[in-house]
Amino acid sequence: LAEPKTLRIKTLEPVLLLGKHRFENVDVRIRVKGGGYTAQIYAIRQALAKSLVAYYQKYVDEASKNEIKSILLSYDRSLLVSDPRRCEPKKFGGKSARARFQK
């Protein structure tokens, strides 16, 4: 799996929080592309949490889905909600998105 032990633990956080018994019926395969090594770890972690919530919503009852969601949100909101910050595009009149050429 992931090489530094702290990142390996970060990847398995949803499993450690919710317990293995909730992942018994689920077969998970996650592919990540792009970004850096740490960003990919966080993407895997978020995909695991979101997919389990979606599985419980579709195939199990609503009460257990809400229980799982509240456990995950109380621990770390980034497990279910992605970071909206993106790279701003470059504009004319300068060398980057915000910087302008000197007069």
Side-chain angles (χ1 to χ4, degrees), residues 50-102:
K50 280 178 137 179
S51 63
L52 192 74
V53 170
Y55 174 81
Y56 268 75
Q57 181 175 4
K58 191 169 184 177
Y59 298 108
V60 192
D61 60 334
E62 189 76 19
S64 55
K65 181 210 92 164
N66 288 332
E67 180 189 347
I68 288 173
K69 203 170 178 181
S70 66
I71 291 170
L72 293 172
L73 283 174
S74 66
Y75 178 73
D76 188 5
R77 190 166 186 265
S78 68
L79 279 167
L80 295 177
V81 181
S82 67
D83 190 3
R85 294 177 291 186
R86 298 290 178 261
C87 187
E88 193 174 339
K90 182 198 175 300
K91 286 107 178 169
F92 60 88
K95 67 178 184 70
S96 66
R98 297 287 175 99
R100 302 291 108 205
F101 293 128
Q102 241 179 344

Side-chain angles (χ1 to χ4, degrees), residues 16-34:
L16 298 173
L17 280 171
L18 301 170
K20 283 188 178 180
H21 65 279
R22 290 211 170 100
F23 285 88
E24 283 175 349
N25 304 336
V26 185
D27 184 29
V28 181
R29 186 175 300 141
I30 300 172
R31 280 186 172 170
V32 285
K33 212 161 63 170

